[in-house]
Amino acid sequence: MAREKDADRGVRGKSAQPGTEDKGPTRAVVIVPVLTRQPRSDDEKNRPRLTRSADARRDEAVGLARAINLDPIHTAVVTVNDPRPATLLGSGKVAEFAEIVKEGHAELVIVDHPLTPVQQRNLEKELNAKVLDRTGLILEIFGERARTKEGTLQVELAHLNYQKGRLVRSWTHLERQRGGAGFLGGPGETQIESDRRQLQEKIIKLKHELETVRRTRDLHRAKRKKVPFPVVAIVGYTNAGKSTLFNRLTGADVLAEDMLFATLDPTLRRVRLPHGTPIILSDTVGFISDLPTHLIAAFRATLEEVVEADLVIHLRDISDPDTAAQAEDVERILADLGVDAGDTKRVIEVWNKIDQLDEGNRTRLLADGPDGNKAPPIAISAITGEGIDALKAIIETRMSGELQSLTVTIEPAQFGLVDWLYRNGDVVSRADNDDGSVTISLQATQSAREEIESRLLRKNNG
């Protein structure tokens, strides 16, 4: 355990040890293996998954590295025809990268692909540097981004589950710890067994703490249901602009940067839509391709906000060439959570960053969709605000029904309702009558109309 902890220090861009000088960003080599065999989806038709271009995968891997202030001094895309069980890459490529690591004085090698514990250990020996696979890198980013107690616990649980399967025999001088007393005790547990037991005890403890957090979140959710505000959750691929849209809709100041996983902990805000409908808007952690399953399990308490949401906004970065593949990854994770992305009554697909498209691509996309499919209900720019009003209108229609026209007469004793009507509907005309009453024509949502009729009935009965 001690050696693994020592090895984990210095992975991030700055020194974690107090009292030491800051040596600047950690120098890293980024390797992107591209397997020639196409991965297949898990659906009944067993169709091949959409694949990204090599350049897009490399750019994403570099973005992940820079998200924790690493300095990628060398990046390479490697075609792998025959994955090696020992090192994934061929011996020639391993020797080539060992020379690059040595010449560049790199301290870290990032392999943008899942590695088995044996592959990771062998690569570290051959390259003479610490090796992180895609899962380990994402865990490092999540560990740095977590701010709340819940987020910290979730990251730690996911990290321990990841680490548990990667215990290797580093203590050749500790074959077994002898049990019992003197010569009577038989051979005890091995060092690896001891480490695994300690990790399991920590995992159990963290699960208990997270269960307490989950119960607290359930209580908060139950309280919100007593005041029936519908919940709208924003989901999407990381860096799709979720936090920017959240800030635009709520006026909040959630961190929004052009960075993968800029925010991790969920944020909820109350929002009043144009015709007065109140909602709770939830900003969630971004999704990414090949998101580790145990990471999804650890963050299930957080992602329950998506599961429990009345409406889900699937935000897509329409300016990204791989937007279709990103959408497929998001839909796959939503399916793992029990949310059907094809349920058009519950899920709205929204295209963001249309301000980054040239006029020709913009016209084509808005007419035909990125893959020749029918365009979604709305395309927006969360930065400029274009399309936001239309998005709000669609959300309100889904939550409260279509706008309806109605005319009501307010008696002098009911004038307290006039202000409420102006706040919860679009007043078209107002006429002050001779008897002191007021006749108001307005447009309101179905739920607002029902509330108006209920309030007038209570006043009349009173």
Side-chain angles (χ1 to χ4, degrees):
M1 286 293 291
R3 292 193 178 184
E4 291 193 5
K5 290 180 179 178
D6 290 339
D8 283 338
R9 297 191 184 105
V11 170
R12 296 178 188 150
K14 296 184 179 180
S15 175
Q17 298 178 2
T20 59
E21 295 182 0
D22 183 7
K23 298 180 181 179
T26 299
R27 298 165 68 84
V29 172
V30 178
I31 304 172
V32 182
V34 177
L35 275 62
T36 54
R37 296 178 183 177
Q38 293 289 338
R40 307 193 73 83
S41 62
D42 299 326
D43 59 13
E44 294 179 357
K45 297 180 181 179
N46 201 28
R47 297 171 299 181
R49 290 176 54 180
L50 294 174
T51 56
R52 291 174 172 77
S53 65
D55 289 341
R57 287 194 53 192
R58 181 187 59 204
D59 292 344
E60 182 175 277
V62 170
L64 288 170
R66 288 176 175 163
I68 51 173
N69 197 31
L70 298 177
D71 178 19
I73 62 169
H74 180 84
T75 60
V77 176
V78 181
T79 301
V80 181
N81 297 318
D82 185 20
R84 304 296 175 86
T87 56
L88 180 67
L89 309 175
S91 57
K93 281 295 179 181
V94 173
E96 178 184 332
F97 285 119
E99 189 64 26
I100 292 173
V101 169
K102 181 179 179 181
E103 292 180 356
H105 302 287
E107 305 170 61
L108 179 66
V109 175
I110 295 171
V111 180
D112 189 49
H113 190 276
L115 293 176
T116 66
V118 171
Q119 288 172 342
Q120 182 176 2
R121 180 188 62 183
N122 290 339
L123 284 173
E124 287 181 342
K125 289 181 178 179
E126 295 292 335
L127 301 175
N128 195 28
K130 181 172 178 60
V131 174
L132 275 183
D133 66 355
R134 183 178 178 86
T135 301
L137 181 59
I138 293 174
L139 285 172
E140 287 288 337
I141 298 172
F142 276 31
E144 186 169 286
R145 294 286 185 270
R147 292 293 179 268
T148 65
K149 178 181 178 182
E150 178 184 11
T152 303
L153 289 173
Q154 290 170 331
V155 171
E156 189 174 355
L157 176 60
H159 189 83
L160 289 176
N161 279 320
Y162 172 76
Q163 190 181 28
K164 185 175 67 172
R166 293 177 180 268
L167 292 177
V168 292
R169 185 175 178 179
S170 302
W171 295 268
T172 55
H173 62 289
L174 294 178
E175 292 186 357
R176 283 184 183 270
Q177 300 174 10
R178 181 168 294 278
F183 295 99
L184 298 178
E189 61 185 350
T190 63
Q191 184 68 48
I192 291 179
E193 289 171 345
S194 174
D195 291 340
R196 187 173 289 115
R197 174 177 52 78
Q198 293 177 36
L199 281 176
Q200 189 60 37
E201 290 172 355
K202 289 182 180 179
I203 289 171
I204 293 173
K205 181 181 178 182
L206 283 174
K207 285 183 176 180
H208 284 314
E209 293 185 51
L210 275 173
E211 182 63 22
T212 302
V213 173
R214 187 192 66 79
R215 286 197 296 266
T216 302
R217 185 177 289 276
D218 287 343
L219 288 174
H220 291 167
R221 190 179 294 119
K223 288 181 179 179
R224 290 201 303 268
K225 287 182 178 180
K226 290 182 180 179
V227 181
F229 291 166
V231 176
V232 178
I234 305 175
V235 303
Y237 205 80
T238 182
N239 211 30
K242 297 180 300 302
S243 295
T244 304
L245 176 59
F246 183 84
N247 291 340
R248 172 69 66 174
L249 293 173
T250 64
D253 57 353
V254 172
L255 176 64
E257 296 183 6
D258 186 15
M259 178 190 299
L260 299 179
F261 297 115
T263 53
L264 177 60
D265 295 305
T267 308
L268 290 87
R269 292 287 188 277
R270 179 179 171 181
V271 179
R272 185 172 290 274
L273 297 175
H275 294 94
T277 302
I279 64 170
I280 300 294
L281 193 66
S282 173
D283 180 23
T284 60
V285 61
F287 298 158
I288 196 168
S289 63
D290 301 320
L291 192 65
T293 54
H294 61 267
L295 193 56
I296 297 176
F299 276 80
R300 184 166 291 276
T302 298
L303 295 175
E304 280 179 1
E305 293 295 343
V306 178
V307 177
E308 297 290 334
D310 299 279
L311 184 67
V312 176
I313 296 175
H314 175 191
L315 194 67
R316 290 177 59 176
D317 177 1
I318 203 63
S319 68
D320 194 303
D322 290 313
T323 181
Q326 292 177 355
E328 185 182 76
D329 289 324
V330 172
E331 290 169 1
R332 183 174 292 105
I333 296 174
L334 287 176
D336 290 340
L337 296 172
V339 178
D340 181 9
D343 183 359
T344 56
K345 293 183 178 179
R346 189 184 177 197
V347 180
I348 299 178
E349 185 176 298
V350 178
W351 294 353
N352 189 26
K353 303 187 182 182
I354 58 172
D355 58 298
Q356 297 185 14
L357 301 175
D358 58 54
E359 194 60 35
N361 282 332
R362 177 170 174 161
T363 301
R364 178 183 61 81
L365 284 169
L366 296 183
D368 302 326
D371 308 306
N373 299 322
K374 185 179 178 181
I378 190 65
I380 67 167
S381 169
I383 286 287
T384 66
E386 181 181 356
I388 296 298
D389 290 340
L391 175 59
K392 288 180 178 179
I394 289 176
I395 295 173
E396 192 158 35
T397 298
R398 295 289 184 91
M399 295 293 95
S400 302
E402 298 284 350
L403 287 179
Q404 300 181 4
S405 299
L406 67 155
T407 301
V408 295
T409 299
I410 308 298
E411 301 296 333
Q414 302 173 323
F415 269 17
L417 293 178
V418 174
D419 177 65
W420 190 90
L421 292 176
Y422 273 91
R423 287 187 290 108
N424 292 273
D426 281 342
V427 175
V428 178
S429 63
R430 168 176 171 163
D432 296 313
N433 304 319
D434 294 337
D435 60 357
S437 64
V438 176
T439 300
I440 297 178
S441 296
L442 72 156
Q443 287 187 320
T445 62
Q446 180 180 347
S447 61
R449 175 171 184 160
E450 294 172 355
E451 180 67 17
I452 292 169
E453 292 172 347
S454 175
R455 286 172 178 257
L456 288 173
L457 181 61
R458 290 200 299 269
K459 286 286 186 179
N460 292 332
N461 292 339

